[in-house]
Amino acid sequence: MFAGSDVGGERAAAVYCLIGSAKLNGLDPEAYLFYVLSYIADHPVNRIADFLPWNVALPRINSTSESN
């Protein structure tokens, strides 16, 4: 995969990990990232674990209707 630089590759890997973790926890990745990006700026840094996929209370996706 072409990321442009080593730093770009590291950032892409972090985003892919978040997306994969959201999927593994039954969350819609787009809704999860929208939620996190909407609220992270006003959230205390010492409670960042609240945004991990297994700690977020969003509607779960139905794994049987998922195309991937």
Side-chain angles (χ1 to χ4, degrees):
M1 183 178 107
F2 179 73
S5 68
D6 289 342
V7 173
E10 290 172 6
R11 289 184 180 150
V15 171
Y16 291 143
C17 286
L18 281 175
I19 290 170
S21 293
K23 285 182 180 180
L24 288 172
N25 284 279
L27 299 174
D28 173 27
E30 185 177 354
Y32 169 70
L33 290 175
F34 181 81
Y35 172 80
V36 170
L37 294 174
S38 296
Y39 294 102
I40 199 165
D42 298 324
H43 202 73
V45 71
N46 63 340
R47 294 188 46 216
I48 203 71
D50 294 347
F51 290 120
L52 294 172
W54 47 89
N55 292 334
V56 172
L58 292 176
R60 302 290 174 175
I61 58 174
N62 185 351
S63 60
T64 59
S65 66
E66 187 179 342
S67 61
N68 289 2

